[in-house]
Structure formats: structure tokens, C-alpha cells
Amino acid sequence: MLKSEKIGLVKYEFVVYINVLYDALTYKVNGILLTKDDLENTLSKNNDINWVRVEGIDVVDTEEIWEDSVVETKMRISGLFDTEPLDWKYAQIIVNDYANTKQSYAIAKMPRSPIIPVYFDVKE
């Protein structure tokens, strides 16, 4: 009889940069989705992308980064999320402002190792 072992979750770090023009709004992470689909092949064949929602997102830090040359601010949100150790290819993050008037998202390629953070760049 074979003994089955329970595989634990893998912890990934994520960093989100959000470009905010003029007034610095505060954003919150609404969700992170992962897919094993290759987006280039899936989109070219008009197939649906199978996104899986991540449970347990832990936001660690939120800060403003000011740009001197332009009237522009970047928000930086960093945190952690747990997921099953599968061959995830892409991640999508959804962020909302605290008033829930604006929702934005960004897609990033998943790193091969959980030691490397997942970087998202949300454009307004």
C-alpha cells in the first residue's frame, strides 16, 4: 500500500506598482488569480483562460513613491500569497480604490522559483 503525502502550499511574494496621477488615491488588493494556460497560445486560438483564485492574500506594506519630474505618484503594495505548487504560468492582480469607484488589473508572468517576487505594474 502506498502512503500518500500531503503537499503543502508555496508562499510567493508579490509587489504591485500603481501609477496614480495628481491626487494619491489609496488602493487595496481585491484578488489574485493564477493560470497554467499559456496566454499567447490561448488568446490566439480564442480559448477561454482558466483562472484560479488565490485564497489567503496577506498585504504587508503600502507606500507612496513620488516622481520629481512629473506630477505623478506611484503606489507600491507588497505582500504574500499561498498557492498549490503547480506549474503556474501567469498571475493576474485586481486592485480597487477604497471608495470602490475604480478597479484596475495587471497580468505578470510567474517566476520559476518562489524566491523571486511576482511584479505587477498597474497602469491607469
Side-chain angles (χ1 to χ4, degrees):
M1 188 161 134
L2 293 174
K3 188 184 211 183
S4 66
E5 292 183 29
K6 185 175 181 182
I7 298 175
L9 298 176
V10 176
K11 188 173 291 294
Y12 281 91
E13 180 182 0
F14 69 90
V15 179
V16 184
Y17 291 100
I18 306 169
N19 292 325
V20 181
L21 297 175
Y22 304 111
D23 56 343
L25 298 173
T26 306
Y27 286 85
K28 61 182 176 180
V29 176
N30 191 23
I32 295 178
L33 308 169
L34 302 174
T35 186
K36 294 187 287 183
D37 296 341
D38 183 3
L39 293 184
E40 293 173 8
N41 292 335
T42 304
L43 293 176
S44 67
K45 295 177 184 174
N46 291 331
N47 291 338
D48 289 334
I49 300 169
N50 185 21
W51 292 104
V52 177
R53 183 171 283 278
V54 170
E55 302 294 330
I57 301 169
D58 184 22
V59 174
V60 176
D61 187 32
T62 303
E63 66 179 329
E64 293 181 14
I65 303 170
W66 291 91
E67 297 285 335
D68 293 334
S69 60
V70 195
V71 182
E72 183 177 299
T73 304
K74 280 189 178 182
M75 296 295 300
R76 179 183 181 273
I77 302 172
S78 60
L80 303 167
F81 67 88
D82 295 328
T83 184
E84 295 178 16
L86 299 174
D87 188 19
W88 300 113
K89 293 198 187 319
Y90 290 92
Q92 178 180 18
I93 193 160
I94 303 166
V95 292
N96 288 3
D97 63 349
Y98 272 100
N100 283 330
T101 58
K102 187 168 196 168
Q103 185 177 61
S104 302
Y105 71 94
I107 296 175
K109 193 166 182 135
M110 286 291 288
R112 291 196 175 267
S113 169
I115 297 171
I116 301 169
V118 183
Y119 289 100
F120 297 100
D121 192 11
V122 177
K123 305 285 185 192
E124 294 259 335

